[in-house]
Each structure stands twice: as C-alpha cells, then as structure tokens.
Amino acid sequence: MSTEFISLLFVFMLATFVGLDVIRRVSRLLHTPLMSLTNAISAIAVVGAILLAGEAETPFSTALGLLAVFASTTNIVSGFLITDRMLKMFKRREPGS
Amino acid sequence: MSTEFISLLFVFMLATFVGLDVIRRVSRLLHTPLMSLTNAISAIAVVGAILLAGEAETPFSTALGLLAVFASTTNIVSGFLITDRMLKMFKRREPGS
Amino acid sequence: MSAATELAYLVSTALFIFSLKWMSDPKTARRGVFAGVVAMALAVGGTLLHHEIVTYRGIAIAFVLGTIVGVPLSWVPLTAVPQRTALSHAFGGLAAGLVGTAKYYLWLPTGELTTFRMAAIAVEIILGYLTCTGSLMAAGKLQEVLPTRPITYRNQNFINFGLFGIAVLIAFWLVVDPSRSFLFPILIALALAFGVLLILPIGGADMPTVISLLNSYAGLAAVAMGFVMENKLLITAGALDGSSGLILSIIMCRAMNRSFTNVLFGAFGQVQAGAAATEQRTAKSATPEDAAQILENANSVVIIPGYGMAVAQAQHRIRDLYEQLAKRGVDVKFAIHPVAGRMPGHMNVLLAEAEIPYDRLVEMDDINPDMPQVDVALVVGANDVVNPAARHDDKSPIFGMPIIDADKAKTVMAIKRSMNPGFAGIENELYFADNTLMLFGDAKAVVGDLVKQMAGGESVH
Amino acid sequence: MSAATELAYLVSTALFIFSLKWMSDPKTARRGVFAGVVAMALAVGGTLLHHEIVTYRGIAIAFVLGTIVGVPLSWVPLTAVPQRTALSHAFGGLAAGLVGTAKYYLWLPTGELTTFRMAAIAVEIILGYLTCTGSLMAAGKLQEVLPTRPITYRNQNFINFGLFGIAVLIAFWLVVDPSRSFLFPILIALALAFGVLLILPIGGADMPTVISLLNSYAGLAAVAMGFVMENKLLITAGALDGSSGLILSIIMCRAMNRSFTNVLFGAFGQVQAGAAATEQRTAKSATPEDAAQILENANSVVIIPGYGMAVAQAQHRIRDLYEQLAKRGVDVKFAIHPVAGRMPGHMNVLLAEAEIPYDRLVEMDDINPDMPQVDVALVVGANDVVNPAARHDDKSPIFGMPIIDADKAKTVMAIKRSMNPGFAGIENELYFADNTLMLFGDAKAVVGDLVKQMAGGESVH
Ligand SMILES: NC(=O)c1ccc[n+]([C@@H]2O[C@H](COP(=O)([O-])OP(=O)(O)OC[C@H]3O[C@@H](n4cnc5c(N)ncnc54)[C@H](OP(=O)(O)O)[C@@H]3O)[C@@H](O)[C@H]2O)c1
Ligand SMILES: NC(=O)c1ccc[n+]([C@@H]2O[C@H](COP(=O)([O-])OP(=O)(O)OC[C@H]3O[C@@H](n4cnc5c(N)ncnc54)[C@H](OP(=O)(O)O)[C@@H]3O)[C@@H](O)[C@H]2O)c1
C-alpha cells in the first residue's frame, strides 16, 4: 500500500465524517432540493473529464473525456437550476402580509 | 505557496469542520471531562517529540525531544486517567435500584 | 497541479461543505446553492488553469452543449423531479465510467497501471456504469416508460449475485495483472448488465429509495475517480455526495420500517392486487356541503397530505382552503410524514410551490401528541402514512412504521377516489372508523368543491 | 513515513474522532476514553516504528518518568481539576515549543528552512511558549498561589499589544530570512513574556474561560507542529483540540453574556468590593426546622446548585437530602445553569460524584418553563445564575445573561453564608423577595441540618 494512497484515504475519511454530519443536519423540509443539489455536486466528475479531454493524449481518450464533460455539464446546469427553482418557493410568511 | 502546504491545509480544514461539529454535540453534562479528554488528546505532540528524540541528530535536539516526550507523556497519562475517573461517576439510575 | 489550482480546489471544497451546511435551514438554503455554484466554478476554473491542458475548444463546445441540454432539464414539472434526478445520475455515472475507461487505455501501454491505480479504476468503472444503467432503468420506471411492477424470475438473486461475484473476480484478476486487457470490456459489460438486473425486481414505488442509493454510488464513483487522478477535491465532493445518498435512503427505509435488503431484493409491490380484495365493511361518506360545514365549525384542523395530493396536483386548491379556514379563525396546520408522497420532502416542496408558509408544516413527531385535541384531521390522498394498523396489527406489512395519528382526531375526513389501497397495497381500517367520513373524488376537484362551498358558491378559479 | 506508520496514523485519527463523538452521551462516554487511549497507543506505536528512529532508551525513560508524574496528577480532588488542566496545558505548550526550537536549530545549518517551514515553526513556538507561561499563570491564580484579583497598570493593553506586535514583526523577519538566528531566542523570550502579561489582568474567576482558550492554543500549536513535520495526524488531532477549546469558551462567554474581548481585557472582578456596599433592604431568614418542614410538604422541589456547593463540598449532603425527599414522594429535580460553578459542567461532575442519577439533572432552558409550577426552589450556593436583574435591569453588569428563574417558584430558599455577592460582585434582589427565605451558613452544614431534621434527629454521618 503506497503512502500516497493512505494520504488520499485520510482525506476520504475526514470528508465522510464531515459529509455524514452535515447531511444529517439538513432540514427535513428540504430533502427534495437536497437530492438535486447533491446531484449537481456529484457532477464534480467534470474535473476529471476536463483533465482527460484537455490533455488530449489520444483521440480515444479525448473523445471519452469530451463526452464526460458534456454529461457532467448537463448535471451541473440542471441540478443547480432546479434546486434554486424549488428553494425559491419556500416562504415563511404569507406573501404580502 | 507549495502544494505540499496546501495539501496539509486541506487536511486542517476538513479536520476543523469535523472538530467543530463533533464538539458541538458533546453532552453539556460532560463538559468538564471533555476538557481533560481534549487535554490528553492535545498531548499528540508526543509524536513530534518522539521523532525528534529518536532521530538523535544532535545532543541538543535529543535533549529537547526527550523533555518534550516527558511533558507529553505526563499529559497523556493524567488526562486519560482523570477523564475516566470522572466519567465513572456518571450514573443514570439509583445505585442498586 | 500548480499551487493556484490546488488553492482553487481548497476553497471549492470549503464552499461545497458550506453549501450543504446552509441547507439546514430554508432561510439560508438559497445561499447554499450560490455557494455550490461558486464552488463548482472554482473547481472548473482551477482545472482549466492546469498547465497540461492543451486544447480548450472541444471543452468549450461540450460546455455549451451540456448547458443547452441542462437548462430545459431543469424546467420539468415538480412531479417529474424524481425521474430527472435519476436521469442525471445516469449521466454522472456515465461520466465516471468514461473517464475510468479512458485512463485505463491511456496507462495500459505506458506501464503506469500500478496496483493501486488499477484497483481504483476497477471500482470507478463498476460503480460508474452500474449507476448509469441502473439510473436509466429507475428513470424509465418512474416515467412509466418501463413496467413499474417488479419483474422477477426464478433464482433471480442467485443469478444477480453470481454475476456480481464474477465481476468482482474479474476486477481482482485485472488488479493482479492489469495487462490482461481483454478482461476490461467484459468488466464494463458486466457492470452495465448488473445495473439493469439490480433494478428489474424493484417496484416503481420503491424507486425513490433506489435513486438515493444510486446518488450515493455516483458520489462513490467520483471518489474512486479522485483516487485514480489523485485529486482531493474529487474525493471530498464525492464523499459529501455519497453520504447524502446514504443518509436519505436510511431515513426513507426507517420511516417505512423496512430494511435495505427488503427494498433491494424484496420485490415489494407485487402482492398489491391480492391484499386489496378482502374489503368488506362499509365506510361512511359525506357530501362537500357537510364537509365544508364541519371544517368551518372546527377550532383546529390538521391537513395530512399524501401521494394522492401530488398525483392530483391539489396543492393550490389546498392553499385556497387554508385561506378560507384561516379567514374564519380556524387554526390550520399541515402534518408532514417523512415518507408521504414518493420522495423525501415531496409534500414540503409541493406545499411550498402553492406558497403555503413553511412554518405551518409540522413534522410527524411534533404533531402526534396534539392529535387527540384536534377537531378535524383532513387526509388528502394519504393512505399508508395514516394507517393505524402500523401501530397495533403485528401481521400488517407496515407494522412498526411510524404513522401520523389521524385516527385520534375528533373527526377524520379522507379524500380519495375509491377504496383502493395505497403504496403498500393494504386496506386501511381508518376509513371504516366511526369518526371517519370519506370524501370520494379526485383531490383537486374535491378540495375545489370545499373551497367553493365556503366562498359561498362563487367561482374560485 | 512508511505505509505501516501512515496506516496506524489513519486509524488513530478515526479513533480520536470517535472518541469525541462518543462524548455526546454519558452512556458511551467511557468507550470514548477507551477509543482515545487506543488512538494514542496507535499514534505512539506507529511513530516508534518509523525507521529513522535510532535510539529507544531515552524515550523509554521519558515515558516512565512521564507516567510517574502523570499518575498522581490524576488523583487531584475534583475541585482542583481546573488547576490540573491548566498545568497540563503548560506541559503541552512546552512540548510544542521545545520541538519547534529543536527543529529550527537542526534545519538552520542544513539550509532546509524553507519559508513555509520557518513560518510554521514561528507559529508553533509563539503559541507553544505563550500557552506554557499563560497556563502556569492560570494554574497559579486558580490554586491561589498567585493573587487572584486582576493586576492592572497604566497603558496595559497598549504595552501588551505592542509586545505582541514586535513578536509578529520578528517572526516575519525570520520568515523572510531564517538565517537571522539571533532573532530566534528573542522570539522565544517574547512569547514567554506575552503569556504572563496576557493573564495578569484577568481575574481568577475568569480563569475557566482562559483555560479553554489556552486549550485551543495548545491544539493549534500541535497543528503548527504538524505543518512543521508534515504530519497529518498532528494536524487533525490538534484541530479537534483547537475546536474544543474554542467552542467551550464561546459557550461560557455566551452563558455569561460577555464577549471574548471583555473576558480577556475587561479586568473583570475588580469592582467587586464597591458594588456590594449598597445593601439596604432586609431579607427574611428561616431556621432549618422551618425549612425542612416546608420541603417535606412540597410536591415539587428544584435544587439549584452553584459555586458555593462546590466550595462547601456539599454534594454528598445534597444527595442525602434528595433521598429523604424522594422517600416522602416529593418530586426533586436539579436545575443546572451552563456556567454555574467555575468551569463548564462543574455541577454535573460534582453531583455525579455524589451518585445523583444524571437523568435528574435538567438544563436551564428545559426547567425554566416549569418554574412557576414549582413549590420550592432551593438555591444552594448559587448567586449570579439566579439573579433576576439579568432579566430586567439593563444597568446591571450581568443584564442579558440567561438565568434560572428561581424567583418564579412559589417559595425560594437560598443557602449561603452571608449577604455577600458572588462572582459578578453584585447584589441579588432575589434574596429580598417576599417569597424568599434565607438559610445562612456553610452549604454542607445547612443541608446536613436539613437532612437531620427530616431523618428525625438521628445522625446521618
Ligand atoms: N416519500 C418517500 O420518500 C417514499 C419513498 C418510497 C416509498 N414511499 C411509500 O409511499 C407511501 C406514501 O404514503 P402516502 O400515504 O403518501 O400515499 P399512499 O399510501 O401511496 O396512498 C396514496 C393514496 O392517494 C390516493 N390517490 C391517488 N390519486 C389520487 C387523486 N388524484 N385524488 C385523490 N386521491 C388520490 C390513492 O387512493 P385512491 O386510488 O382511492 O384515490 C391512495 O390510497 C408510503 O407507503 C411510503 O412508504 C415513500
Ligand atoms: N462555570 C463556568 O464555566 C464559569 C466560568 C467563568 C465564570 N463563571 C461565573 O461564575 C458565576 C457562577 O455563578 P454561581 O451562581 O454558581 O456562583 P456565584 O455567583 O459565584 O455565587 C456563589 C455564591 O456561593 C456562596 N458561597 C460560597 N461559599 C459557600 C459555602 N461554603 N457555603 C454556602 N454558600 C457559599 C457565596 O455567598 P456567601 O459568600 O454569602 O456564602 C456566593 O454568593 C457566574 O457569574 C459565572 O458567570 C462561571
């Protein structure tokens, strides 16, 4: 086992602790928007896709990379937009009172 | 700014998120034992001290290292013992009922 | 990675965490979305800075195309949100799978495939492709393009586990010797097939739990990608995502009092028809006139919405009803069961859409102690979540599931189209209780009638 | 670092986090200590495995000596826990400072002092040495070896900040050019001096907040050491520690309704004598016989302990009282104010020591709504935490501090030795209220008398 691997594992472990704590505190009211928000966040795969596409090492890898960039961008755009659309609807007081 | 530094900063940031979340959930009942427990945990400095003392590069560094090992060990031992002593006292039900 | 990129990633990670933290309160939630957008922009920007990136044109085109497809995807009606989410997971899984595939073929000839990298790639592509086809199946079932009932066959679990075992074996074989490249396409094919097979035996109504799990897998696929690319941002964001999916599915399972195994392999929803046939007793029904009068004379009314409200899109009529009652000084609250509807938080979003203030929405555990003091419990298209059998009948399939104690209210009124059962496929004794009045009909129409009665016959459109 | 060491560190980190997680409930707390011990063992064991370690003898001796000193330090009476904690922080700060010093002199000749390392060392030694002397001062004030009142002089804050500014400047200079080695001892001296000066103007009673802050600094010193040694375990454990100190001091400040600045630079506790002189009105006092009778005839009694109970060590007598009352069917609860006593959770530990079941202890916010229904509020050596002026007198120094509403109970009985004020040095109108009876005397003696009365005169020792 390389130390680089353990180092990444370290980050994964800490991030999981943070993730479980943070999510457990999300308001029940907002579980549906949460699903679409995390959906947008999971599109972080775009980072890997850009690196792959941008480094353009072989036509094959570039093609797959671009497809992946496209797929992730779709998720980013639609995920954030729909989350915001839903959240905009949550109002505490009567409108106009 | 070296990337190694940012990498350590990354760990620090995640650990702080975890720390603030975890501590905020500690039962109010147990704030005094918490103080002595974290006191023991802060003796993690023993790791640095051991490395310094054990690598024995110069007599000066070894001496400081050993002193630091001594100081930290004191904290570890007394911190954990007193925490446990206090926690042993917390009982939910009447003794013997 | 240059220091600038690393720094962008660091800030991006922090913002992603804050983004989710701010979701803890509707007041800060939109700020959370904003933080998420900035975080994503930093992640993309930081990556584009990376010096090894030689071509930007293709990427720019992919961005534009992605946006063109993404924007309309965000316009779907709220009832189609589960499908949209599933479809997105399919895209996410695909992206992870593709990157893993490309990395394998890039590193194969150069001998850079260390054990560690190969293992990470194997995990990435299994999770990625499995999520892709699995989510497509889930989206299909939710959209009712595919049959929603569970599709089962003999030895199903045996075959599925066997296939999964073979995939793991092949992955292991590849890790031992990455140069066995003929195995790689087989692994991909197995992962794709496994995604389909996993979803086949799960009923359409269990899809929300499955979607959450797939969300978790999509996150873990991003984590695996992070291990492949040695990228901490991918690992953290993926882990946040993985946790979210996991916790939401746990919450759903708990609120249904079912186990993961039961959801995934229980083929729930198959026996629906059979169980519903035992109906014998008679229920009392009421006219909208009577119902409107009872509501007007009540001091406190608790409205319990369920899946039927979503189907009928009755939330706007309910808002009218709420206003009519509030005008008459009736105290109106909404009792929200954690799994009412078909996805977590479903009722909240719909009621919010109708501009019902969210401080009127009360969670199950908070309203139950007050139910005996409530004059009227108005059940709108909810069924399982108010079934008292969950409390006392230990032979009922939903026994042990926490419910809203509608039956304890002085009067219960239930709006639904027929005596048909709900999601769990079982009869509900609440409808036959002495203090229950049925209001048959589509929820939107019935609530509309009630409002019309109260508004004195004038039209309320 | 070898993979084995790294792996040990990884598991150790996880265990430290679980250790603190398990402190969220008294039921799992001891498991938390156990996890902490294992985590520390793994950390030490993993470090000893490190291949560059050439000599073990000295380390073994240091371990043994540390244990010999540490074990008796854990035997201190519970009242001395704050002092012991302060002393430990002094040790912790010292260790960090020493390691930083040694590293500087090791790397100085070899040219390994990069900007980043030098900066980390500077932070480490400033925090380390400052924590060391600061904690010693705090321990001295708490043990009353040093004068506990704030020591102030003209331009104090100006001088302190000036010194701190100089230290930062020197640190900066060193970072720019680490070879200016004559600056290094100056920096150490300034840090040591600053620790002393920082504590001088803070009164003995504010020491708990200061100790928590120093706890935080000790943690941050470990973090800095982690940056110096590029060690993730040090960084995480230090960060956990730093968060803990920070949050505890925030909780204390909030519960006292004071700011950090006020605690650190306010020289609180100076005006004590003056404010107490305005006493005019008369208070009613009662005999133990009367008090015992009132208590016996009550349906519900809330006991509100404060610093006086700790001073008198009255908790065991209070337990006897609790038993006598419980025997008579009286409902007895304990109301715990977050800053009753002199450290967070002080009352809880003392009552736990006397084996009072912790589910009888109720937090301020939970008991206050019930206070108007309570027959007797028995205040045992508490003062500021039940001072109604905090609620309504906006000129009072404690105005805005949340209090336990003892005054709302039907009858109040207060045990203290005199009409002297408490920590905040202000008069308490509660003692002059119509429904208040004073029971003058040492808390242990008075409660003992009450118990004796109830037990029918038989000895209760
Ligand atoms: N929320 C989640 O995350 C989630 C996830 C997975 C599973 N589930 C499950 O879904 C169920 C949710 O319970 P629920 O009480 O909300 O719903 P339900 O038990 O499925 O019952 C819905 C009821 O609404 C009625 N209905 C349907 N369309 C209607 C319309 N147009 N107008 C009026 N009534 C209509 C139906 O009766 P008629 O046909 O007679 O009208 C049906 O009995 C639970 O069993 C839960 O475990 C929820
Ligand atoms: N807990 C923390 O973390 C913390 C930290 C920093 C500051 N503080 C401060 O400490 C104060 C705590 O409030 P508190 O109400 O617990 O205590 P307090 O306001 O300090 O009052 C203690 C009272 O106990 C009495 N007393 C002392 N020795 C006694 C004995 N042997 N027998 C009977 N009575 C005795 C004293 O009156 P007599 O002299 O007349 O007997 C005094 O009025 C607050 O102001 C808080 O802000 C707390």
Side-chain angles (χ1 to χ4, degrees), chain B residues 20-71:
Chain B
L20 293 176
D21 267 347
V22 163
I23 301 290
R24 215 172 280 141
R25 292 237 209 106
V26 169
S27 161
R28 289 229 161 177
L29 280 174
L30 302 180
H31 276 172
T32 301
L34 174 67
M35 281 175 76
S36 47
L37 180 64
T38 53
N39 190 214
I41 294 180
S42 77
I44 191 68
V46 74
V47 165
I50 292 177
L51 288 176
L52 190 65
E55 291 174 5
E57 302 202 31
T58 67
F60 177 66
S61 77
T62 315
L64 294 195
L66 288 178
L67 199 53
V69 173
F70 161 74

Side-chain angles (χ1 to χ4, degrees), chain C residues 309-435:
Chain C
M309 177 187 87
V311 176
Q313 286 287 301
Q315 62 269 29
H316 299 282
R317 286 295 159 281
I318 289 183
R319 179 184 163 87
D320 296 338
L321 179 66
Y322 161 69
E323 281 182 345
Q324 288 292 342
L325 289 172
K327 217 192 290 172
R328 287 166 176 74
V330 182
D331 176 48
V332 185
K333 287 204 188 98
F334 295 82
I336 310 292
H337 190 281
V339 292
R342 287 294 181 269
M343 57 184 175
H346 200 168
M347 297 297 117
N348 301 301
V349 185
L350 293 175
L351 295 174
E353 188 196 7
E355 306 212 322
I356 290 168
Y358 63 76
D359 49 11
R360 294 274 100 195
L361 315 188
V362 187
E363 278 182 28
M364 173 175 68
D365 293 334
D366 296 329
I367 197 101
N368 271 345
D370 299 339
M371 287 309 291
Q373 278 84 51
V374 167
D375 292 328
V376 182
L378 180 64
V379 180
V380 185
N383 191 337
D384 301 337
V385 301
V386 291
N387 192 337
R391 270 204 320 262
H392 62 72
D393 178 4
D394 57 8
K395 278 181 295 294
S396 166
I398 61 166
F399 179 66
M401 161 173 163
I403 60 158
I404 295 179
D405 297 337
D407 54 324
K408 297 200 175 149
K410 288 173 197 146
T411 306
V412 181
M413 300 204 284
I415 303 178
K416 64 200 297 285
R417 295 165 307 180
S418 63
M419 292 307 280
N420 285 344
F423 170 72
I426 52 170
E427 186 170 279
N428 191 338
E429 62 181 57
L430 175 71
Y431 302 144
F432 304 105
D434 282 341
N435 60 340

Side-chain angles (χ1 to χ4, degrees), chain A residues 2 4-58 60-95, chain C residues 1 9 16-17 19-21 23-26 29-30 33 36-37 40 43-44 47-48 50 52-55 58-59 62-63 65-67 69-71 73-76 78 84 88-89 91-92 95 98-99 102 105-106 116 211 215 223 225 227 229-237 239-241 243-244 247-248 251 319 322 338 343-346 348-349 352-353 355 357-359 361 363:
Chain A
S2 74
E4 175 64 21
F5 169 65
I6 299 179
S7 173
L8 296 172
L9 213 56
F10 209 96
V11 169
F12 178 50
M13 183 184 76
L14 289 176
T16 307
F17 273 117
V18 174
L20 293 177
D21 268 348
V22 161
I23 300 291
R24 216 173 277 140
R25 293 237 210 105
V26 169
S27 162
R28 288 228 162 179
L29 279 175
L30 302 179
H31 276 171
T32 300
L34 173 67
M35 281 175 77
S36 47
L37 181 64
T38 53
N39 189 213
I41 293 180
S42 78
I44 191 67
V46 76
V47 165
I50 292 176
L51 288 175
L52 190 65
E55 291 174 6
E57 300 202 33
T58 67
F60 177 66
S61 77
T62 315
L64 294 195
L66 288 178
L67 198 54
V69 172
F70 160 74
S72 313
T73 309
T74 314
N75 282 356
I76 296 176
V77 172
S78 67
F80 283 125
L81 283 180
I82 200 163
T83 310
D84 198 51
R85 197 183 118 206
M86 283 193 260
L87 290 177
K88 249 190 288 196
M89 299 183 315
F90 280 86
K91 299 215 173 59
R92 192 141 110 110
R93 318 222 148 276
E94 307 281 322
Chain C
M1 292 285 139
Y9 284 179
F16 276 132
I17 295 174
S19 166
L20 291 173
K21 261 191 194 296
M23 290 294 279
S24 62
D25 190 325
R30 287 190 73 194
V33 177
V37 171
M40 193 55 86
V44 170
T47 310
L48 290 175
H50 186 52
E52 285 174 31
I53 293 195
V54 291
T55 159
I59 296 178
F63 279 160
L65 288 180
T67 309
V69 176
V71 171
L73 259 181
S74 77
W75 295 335
V76 298
L78 284 183
R84 192 214 68 90
S88 274
H89 290 152
F91 282 177
L98 291 178
V99 173
Y105 287 109
L106 275 181
F116 157 52
I211 291 180
N215 186 356
V223 171
M225 189 195 284
F227 276 93
M229 306 214 140
E230 295 179 5
N231 186 313
K232 296 199 188 62
L233 171 61
L234 278 170
I235 293 180
T236 346
L240 293 177
D241 222 34
S243 323
S244 167
I247 287 191
L248 286 184
I251 288 178
R319 179 184 163 87
Y322 161 69
M343 57 184 175
H346 200 168
N348 301 301
V349 185
E353 188 196 7
E355 306 212 322
Y358 63 76
D359 49 11
L361 315 188
E363 278 182 28

Side-chain angles (χ1 to χ4, degrees), chain C residues 142-213:
Chain C
L142 284 165
Q143 188 67 31
E144 297 179 22
V145 182
L146 297 177
T148 59
R149 73 193 151 68
I151 296 171
T152 52
Y153 41 86
R154 249 155 46 94
N155 294 333
Q156 187 164 34
N157 288 341
F158 179 78
I159 293 171
N160 286 1
F161 279 117
L163 262 178
F164 187 68
I166 294 174
V168 170
L169 222 75
I170 290 183
F172 186 74
W173 215 2
L174 267 170
V175 171
V176 174
D177 179 3
S179 68
R180 292 199 187 90
S181 64
F182 68 98
L183 289 174
F184 198 77
I186 304 186
L187 189 59
I188 296 180
L190 280 176
L192 289 168
F194 191 64
V196 175
L197 293 178
L198 194 66
I199 308 303
L200 271 187
I202 306 180
D206 263 335
M207 281 308 129
T209 322
V210 171
I211 291 180
S212 276
L213 263 190

Side-chain angles (χ1 to χ4, degrees), chain D residues 4-241:
Chain D
T5 304
E6 295 274 357
L7 204 62
Y9 284 179
L10 180 80
V11 179
S12 169
T13 306
L15 284 173
F16 277 131
I17 295 174
F18 277 112
S19 167
L20 292 173
K21 259 191 196 292
W22 282 328
M23 290 295 279
S24 62
D25 189 324
K27 282 200 281 294
T28 53
R30 289 191 70 195
R31 199 197 304 162
V33 177
F34 183 68
V37 171
V38 175
M40 193 56 84
L42 275 173
V44 171
T47 312
L48 289 175
L49 278 183
H50 187 51
H51 53 87
E52 283 174 34
I53 293 195
V54 291
T55 158
Y56 289 95
R57 236 198 36 192
I59 297 178
I61 296 175
F63 278 161
V64 172
L65 289 179
T67 310
I68 291 175
V69 176
V71 171
L73 259 180
S74 76
W75 296 336
V76 299
L78 284 182
T79 36
V81 166
Q83 291 88 300
R84 191 213 68 89
T85 309
L87 204 64
S88 273
H89 290 153
F91 282 175
L94 182 69
L98 291 178
V99 173
T101 311
K103 276 288 170 185
Y104 176 78
Y105 287 110
L106 275 181
W107 281 334
L108 183 62
T110 62
E112 284 170 286
L113 278 174
T114 59
T115 312
F116 157 52
R117 282 179 167 173
M118 188 62 232
I121 289 182
V123 174
E124 181 184 355
I125 65 159
I126 293 182
L127 284 174
Y129 287 122
L130 175 165
T131 306
C132 178
T133 50
S135 302
L136 282 179
M137 289 287 296
K141 289 203 173 198
L142 283 165
Q143 187 68 31
E144 297 179 24
V145 182
L146 297 175
T148 58
R149 72 195 150 68
I151 297 170
T152 51
Y153 42 86
R154 250 155 45 94
N155 293 335
Q156 187 165 34
N157 287 342
F158 180 76
I159 294 172
N160 286 359
F161 279 116
L163 263 177
F164 188 67
I166 295 174
V168 170
L169 225 73
I170 290 183
F172 187 73
W173 218 2
L174 266 170
V175 171
V176 174
D177 179 3
S179 67
R180 294 197 185 89
S181 63
F182 67 98
L183 289 173
F184 198 76
I186 304 185
L187 190 60
I188 295 179
L190 282 175
L192 288 168
F194 190 64
V196 175
L197 294 176
L198 194 68
I199 308 303
L200 270 185
I202 306 180
D206 262 338
M207 282 307 128
T209 322
V210 171
I211 292 182
S212 276
L213 263 189
L214 289 171
N215 185 359
S216 191
Y217 292 167
L220 292 179
V223 171
M225 189 193 286
F227 276 93
V228 173
M229 305 217 140
E230 297 180 1
N231 184 315
K232 295 197 186 70
L233 171 61
L234 279 170
I235 294 181
T236 346
L240 293 177
D241 223 31

